[in-house]
């Protein structure tokens, strides 16, 4: 596909001369929407731009979807709403262009999923043909239908007692699955068929950590505050926390999905502490220098460093969490690598805001786990613990 603004200028002459928006107003509307910022900055202008953009012809859909590449969540929501409005209003949609957009795996995963949903709604038969090729798609949003098809196939094989073939089929589905319900379905079926499933090992979840906290995050200021662990890791250090001195402690998670639940390390009144910040640190020994992806699932605000270099950060709370929610490219150093996660909890007290946790794994671009040389055996379920009395540097993951 051509670059976004160039693509807009190639709209047909008939479209440009119609009563619909011209390419230039479309480009201006998108530029205004993409400029929307935190805390409502630019919302008034974005609302006006959206009203114009939503009147565009269906031919502009691929270009609007392309504008979601790199857009912040607020801007992406505006753009998605425009796509939904245009698609709902017009019956003749550019399915071929949408299929081309969908096939380009470099585009934003949410935009590609939206393109697929438009195709699925307009031409179900075409969508059915596209689903099998999505089994190992880098977009988590697009895998689900393909994975479910394989799970259903495994269930049919299991039903007619073809255990060996069913096991292989479920294993294929498990390798591709990223949604918890589908992973659980595959795991349950495989165990019923007599297969052993070590999910932390299979996915490469990092289970052994050191944690320190809680530091302050009143009025969400902790995200931008530089606390001592961000400058130097000193396991013998003692620092001013939110309610007194804090120090490092060992934390091992036995959760099958690698959930590092900070609430277990620092339990508070009721369902957990609020307006707090904590850090989790681990070391990873790589067999060779190579490109990998850190895949993070987290619904809190977070930052992550690799070998003391900030990889990425997201100052957003309670948007939801899932496996491989964030995919961050890094290059491992042969031998010792360090990983530091900063995790902030805000002031909200609704039931769906109580989680203060994350999961992190290391894998290649296909999602296949890349295991550390120093990875220990998987902790037994039910052995989650935080050893606050004996700070110990964890070198195994």
């Amino acid at each position: 596909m051509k670059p976004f603004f160039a693509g807009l200028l190639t709209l047909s002459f008939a479209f440009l001369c119609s009563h619909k928006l011209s390419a230039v107003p479309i480009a201006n509307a998108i530029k205004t929407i993409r400029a929307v910022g935190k805390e409502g900055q630019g919302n008034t202008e974005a609302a006006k731009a959206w009203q114009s953009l939503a009147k565009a012809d269906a031919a502009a859909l691929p270009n609007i979807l392309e504008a979601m590449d790199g857009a912040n969540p607020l801007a992406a929501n505006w753009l998605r709403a425009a796509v939904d409005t245009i698609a709902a209003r017009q019956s003749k949609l550019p399915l071929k262009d949408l299929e081309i957009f969908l096939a380009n795996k470099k585009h934003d995963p949410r935009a590609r999923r939206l393109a697929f949903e438009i195709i699925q709604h307009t031409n179900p038969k075409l969508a059915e043909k596209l689903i099998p090729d999505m089994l190992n798609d880098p977009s988590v949003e697009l895998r689900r239908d393909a994975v479910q098809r394989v799970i259903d196939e495994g269930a049919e094989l299991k039903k007619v007692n073809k255990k060996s073939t069913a096991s292989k089929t479920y294993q294929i589905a498990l390798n591709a699955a990223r949604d918890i319900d589908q992973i659980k379905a595959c795991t349950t079926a495989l165990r019923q068929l007599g297969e052993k499933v070590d999910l932390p090992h299979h996915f490469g979840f990092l289970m052994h950590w050191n944690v320190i906290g809680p530091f302050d995050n009143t009025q969400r200021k902790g995200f931008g505050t530089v606390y001592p662990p961000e400058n130097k890791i000193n396991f013998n250090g003692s620092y001013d926390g939110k309610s007194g001195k804090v120090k490092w402690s060992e934390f091992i998670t036995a959760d099958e999905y690698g959930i590092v639940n900070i609430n277990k390390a620092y339990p508070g009144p009721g369902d957990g502490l609020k307006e707090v910040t904590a850090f989790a640190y681990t070391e990873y020994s790589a067999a060779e220098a190579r490109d990998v992806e850190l895949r993070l699932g987290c619904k809190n605000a977070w930052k992550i460093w690799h070998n003391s270099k900030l990889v990425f950060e997201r100052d957003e709370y309670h948007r939801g969490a899932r496996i491989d929610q964030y995919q961050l490219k890094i290059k491992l150093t042969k031998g010792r690598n360090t990983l530091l996660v900063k995790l902030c909890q805000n002031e909200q007290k609704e039931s769906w805001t109580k989680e203060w946790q994350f999961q992190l794994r290391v894998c290649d671009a296909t999602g296949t786990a890349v295991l550390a040389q120093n990875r220990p055996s998987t902790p037994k379920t039910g052995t989650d613990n935080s050893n606050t009395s004996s700070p110990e540097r964890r070198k195994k993951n």
Side-chain angles (χ1 to χ4, degrees), residues 150-151 154-155 158 162-177 182-199 202-203:
V150 179
I151 290 175
K158 185 168 175 270
K162 293 185 177 180
K163 294 183 178 181
S164 177
T165 308
S167 292
K168 293 177 182 177
T169 303
Y170 277 117
Q171 189 62 54
I172 291 172
L174 178 61
N175 290 343
Q182 291 185 328
I183 293 171
K184 286 183 176 179
C186 295
T187 301
T188 298
L190 285 166
R191 287 171 177 166
Q192 289 174 346
L193 290 165
E195 303 289 343
K196 292 183 178 180
V197 183
D198 183 344
L199 289 179
H202 177 82
F203 285 103

Side-chain angles (χ1 to χ4, degrees), residues 86-261:
I86 294 168
R89 188 183 70 244
Q90 302 187 32
S91 57
K92 190 174 182 180
L93 301 176
L95 293 184
K96 187 61 179 178
D97 289 339
L98 290 172
E99 187 178 351
I100 292 172
F101 178 87
L102 174 64
N104 187 341
K105 297 179 180 180
K106 293 182 179 180
H107 285 310
D108 181 86
R110 296 164 298 177
R112 292 181 62 226
R113 176 70 200 189
L114 186 53
F116 174 73
E117 289 175 355
I118 294 172
I119 294 171
Q120 192 175 44
H121 178 76
T122 308
N123 190 334
K125 289 184 178 180
L126 173 59
E128 283 294 310
K129 292 180 180 179
L130 298 175
I131 287 175
D133 292 333
M134 298 177 183
L135 186 63
N136 292 300
D137 196 282
S139 169
V140 178
E141 289 85 348
L142 285 167
R143 288 187 179 216
R144 184 174 179 84
D145 294 327
V147 171
Q148 191 58 51
R149 182 173 291 187
V150 179
I151 290 175
D152 293 342
E153 182 182 340
E156 290 299 317
L157 291 166
K158 185 168 175 270
K159 188 183 298 183
V160 296
N161 210 32
K162 293 185 177 180
K163 294 183 178 181
S164 177
T165 308
S167 292
K168 293 177 182 177
T169 303
Y170 277 117
Q171 189 62 54
I172 291 172
L174 178 61
N175 290 343
R178 296 295 181 266
D179 289 330
I180 292 293
D181 62 326
Q182 291 185 328
I183 293 171
K184 286 183 176 179
C186 295
T187 301
T188 298
L190 285 166
R191 287 171 177 166
Q192 289 174 346
L193 290 165
E195 303 289 343
K196 292 183 178 180
V197 183
D198 183 344
L199 289 179
H201 188 276
H202 177 82
F203 285 103
F205 291 119
L206 304 183
M207 312 292 282
H208 296 77
W209 297 83
N210 273 286
V211 296
I212 188 170
F215 294 95
D216 192 23
N217 189 35
T218 302
Q219 297 181 345
R220 307 191 184 190
K221 294 180 180 178
F223 185 84
T225 301
V226 178
Y227 289 111
E230 297 175 53
N231 292 322
K232 182 179 181 181
I233 302 298
N234 176 11
F235 286 96
N236 296 317
S238 178
Y239 309 105
D240 292 329
K242 183 172 183 177
S243 302
K245 293 292 184 179
V246 297
K247 58 183 180 179
W248 289 97
S249 62
E250 179 186 10
F251 188 91
I252 300 173
T253 177
D255 183 87
E256 282 205 306
Y257 303 95
I259 298 295
V260 180
N261 188 348

